[in-house]
Amino acid sequence: MIEGWAGLAPAIGEIALLSLACTVLLYDAFAGDGGRRLTAPLSIGALLALLLLLIQTWPSDALITLGGHYVADPLASLLKIVATITAAIVFVYSRRYVADRGIEKGEYWILSLFGLLGIFVLSSAYSFLTLYLGLELLSLSLYALVAFDRNSSVSAESAMKYFVLGAIASGALLYGFSLVYGVTGALSLGEVASASADLDQGASLVLVVGIAFMVVGVAFKLGGVPFHMWLPDVYHGAPTSVTMYVATVSKVGALALALRLLQDGLAGHHADWQGMLVVVTMLSLAVGNIVAIAQTNVKRLLAYSAISHVGFILLGLSTGTPMGNASALLYTIVYVLMAAGAFGVIILLTRAGFEADELTDLAGLNERSRWFAGIMLVMMFSMAGLPPFLGFHAKVAIIQATLDAGYTWLAVYAILMSVIGAFYYIRVIKLMYFDSSEHEPTLMKDPTARVVLSANGLAVLLLGFFPAPLLTLCVAVIAGAA
């Protein structure tokens, strides 16, 4: 552990992101109405510069600093790089969408950057204090973004639900932290892990209650059943560009919270939290896949689809093994790529005064654009877990880790639920290729978004043929974590 000003050096990513966000804030404040159109390109440029910095400062070993509250390790760096790339993709897809709806204000990009800063803090958090600070920084940014379209009563209602339920979940998580701190006397996750190993019976009972509250907080932030109530309403009510941010970038932050807590702080108490996680996993797989079948709104369909994918992520985490954690990390990265592509196609179908948020809006997409219908087909097949697409390999990694941990019945249950879930993905493909379009054959004319969306789809396709390097990287960073 290093102290003093030298201890700030490993946090160069957070310092750079904060500086860039403040620069964008100041530029937007003084640019005037004419100059504000450059706020979005400036934000995207800032993310690309940040990405280069993160790659150059990749750590070879884990380093704990800032009084034991912060850790710089390969896991944190990978999570930050994934979140930065995803945020840049979301920004590119969003630029024309927010301009067409008159909500292209500087606050949109700045709040997104501060939400990303919250994910950075979560990724490197090594104590209850930094975990909570990162989580609240991310959550408060998301609440404001969901309500960003002030002329939409649906957005305002969604933001209010999200805020109230999010506050309850944050309270549960904080109460869990306080109980565990009360019996261990430690804030640092490493000290919690060692102090909680020698507790007497009474203190152990309090510890288990604290762990239960923390699992509730983690399950809520990921969107696991029965703590998923906010998710369909927020996906439906928020502007589609914000929904994409919640569905992709924020998922990386939620996984960071889960990995840091369960792997770094509570790995020795696997038996105490595994049962709760298994119940949430089973409910998420069942509710997500079955309820999605009845949806007619594409954003709500993707919301329930996300719940089922969260079930797979929790399945990997519930094994408590390094391979299980690595497969959950792989699954999250793959899901984020697939969700970004799916929402990218939906945004491409929108135009001023028209939201393509019903399933029927996808009808006849093949007649309007064979290329982007093909991109959507890749995303749907990949989400369904069909070979050789990337989603298939992510599901296989989770199933293999579950079997290796000895939970054969749970692996069979996940496969069965996945087969049921394939129905609604295939229904989207049927609409695109076999139904007629009721809309004008126009797609959003944004060359940059089209190029990035094409690259997004090709990445999911090509990585499906060569998945080994990505899985190897996930295994390596989990092994090198603090």
Side-chain angles (χ1 to χ4, degrees):
M1 185 185 297
I2 54 177
E3 300 294 346
W5 288 106
L8 285 173
I12 185 68
E14 285 79 357
I15 295 169
L17 178 53
L18 179 60
S19 303
L20 291 168
C22 290
T23 302
V24 174
L25 175 65
L26 288 173
Y27 171 81
D28 186 76
F30 293 101
D33 292 338
R36 286 201 179 106
R37 67 178 184 278
L38 295 178
T39 303
L42 185 63
S43 302
I44 295 169
L47 290 177
L48 295 178
L50 182 64
L51 179 62
L52 292 176
L53 178 67
L54 291 171
I55 292 171
Q56 287 186 339
T57 55
W58 181 278
S60 55
D61 298 307
L63 178 65
I64 299 169
T65 182
L66 300 177
H69 295 288
Y70 183 95
V71 61
D73 60 6
L75 173 61
S77 290
L78 179 61
L79 289 169
K80 291 172 191 175
I81 287 172
V82 171
T84 304
I85 293 173
T86 313
I89 292 172
V90 172
F91 279 15
V92 171
Y93 292 167
S94 304
R95 201 173 50 158
R96 182 60 63 88
Y97 176 88
V98 294
D100 286 346
R101 278 144 194 82
I103 54 174
E104 188 184 23
K105 302 181 188 304
E107 294 90 329
Y108 180 86
W109 313 105
I110 294 158
L111 282 168
S112 300
L113 289 174
F114 276 103
L116 182 63
L117 180 59
I119 295 172
F120 274 38
V121 175
L122 275 172
S123 300
S124 282
Y126 201 63
S127 77
F128 291 153
L129 184 63
T130 38
L131 275 173
Y132 197 72
L133 284 174
L135 183 65
E136 287 306 292
L137 185 53
L138 171 61
S139 299
L140 292 174
S141 302
L142 292 179
Y143 301 149
L145 281 170
V146 171
F148 204 78
D149 187 357
R150 286 177 291 182
N151 296 321
S152 170
S153 58
V154 180
S155 290
E157 181 184 341
S158 300
M160 183 57 73
K161 287 179 182 173
Y162 192 21
F163 175 72
V164 172
L165 293 172
I168 294 171
S170 294
L173 193 66
L174 192 58
Y175 188 55
F177 286 168
S178 65
L179 289 176
V180 175
Y181 174 72
V183 294
T184 62
L187 284 174
S188 169
L189 295 178
E191 293 174 3
V192 167
S194 56
S196 60
D198 301 317
L199 297 176
D200 58 34
Q201 189 175 2
S204 295
L205 182 62
V206 176
L207 181 78
V208 171
V209 175
I211 290 173
F213 276 100
M214 284 192 270
V215 169
V216 168
V218 169
F220 179 91
K221 295 302 177 185
L222 276 167
V225 178
F227 312 104
H228 66 294
M229 299 79 74
W230 62 275
L231 204 139
D233 288 339
V234 168
Y235 272 47
H236 185 197
T240 304
S241 58
V242 174
T243 305
M244 180 163 50
Y245 187 92
V246 174
T248 57
V249 185
S250 77
K251 281 286 184 288
V252 180
L255 177 75
L257 171 68
L259 278 175
R260 288 300 178 198
L261 264 182
L262 302 180
Q263 177 181 270
D264 294 348
L266 303 172
H269 298 273
H270 177 235
D272 294 323
W273 52 261
Q274 187 201 26
M276 291 181 281
L277 223 54
V278 167
V279 171
V280 176
T281 296
M282 295 180 68
L283 290 174
S284 300
L285 288 170
V287 172
N289 283 311
I290 294 171
V291 178
I293 294 173
Q295 302 305 312
T296 58
N297 181 285
V298 68
K299 287 163 72 176
R300 293 188 80 88
L301 183 145
L302 289 175
Y304 283 101
S305 161
I307 291 169
S308 71
H309 289 295
V310 164
F312 266 95
I313 295 168
L314 290 174
L315 180 59
L317 294 174
S318 67
T319 63
T321 63
M323 194 58 209
N325 291 335
S327 61
L329 175 61
L330 172 71
Y331 199 98
T332 304
I333 295 171
V334 171
Y335 171 71
V336 162
L337 271 176
M338 297 186 300
F343 277 104
V345 173
I346 294 170
I347 283 185
L348 206 64
L349 291 171
T350 63
R351 53 186 178 271
F354 173 72
E355 289 284 343
D357 56 1
E358 293 296 326
L359 274 175
T360 51
D361 295 329
L362 290 165
L365 178 58
N366 186 51
E367 298 169 6
R368 289 179 273 174
S369 170
R370 291 180 185 275
W371 176 252
F372 290 110
I375 297 283
M376 193 62 164
L377 178 141
V378 169
M379 298 305 167
M380 293 296 105
F381 275 157
S382 188
M383 284 188 177
L386 297 179
F389 300 99
L390 188 55
F392 167 75
H393 300 287
K395 280 185 165 63
V396 167
I398 292 281
I399 297 297
Q400 186 62 54
T402 309
L403 291 173
D404 291 344
Y407 304 106
T408 306
W409 65 274
L410 203 49
V412 172
Y413 176 81
I415 293 170
L416 179 64
M417 289 297 117
S418 189
V419 171
I420 294 173
F423 173 82
Y424 54 86
Y425 295 120
I426 292 173
R427 185 172 57 163
V428 172
I429 295 167
K430 180 253 181 190
L431 280 167
M432 291 192 301
Y433 284 89
F434 298 103
D435 287 13
S436 300
S437 172
E438 298 176 355
H439 302 288
E440 299 174 15
T442 55
L443 298 174
M444 183 188 290
K445 292 180 175 54
D446 185 339
T448 308
R450 286 173 173 243
V451 170
V452 173
L453 181 56
S454 300
N456 191 166
L458 290 174
V460 172
L461 181 63
L462 294 177
L463 285 172
F465 290 102
F466 308 101
L470 190 55
L471 177 59
T472 304
L473 177 64
C474 292
V475 171
V477 299
I478 290 294

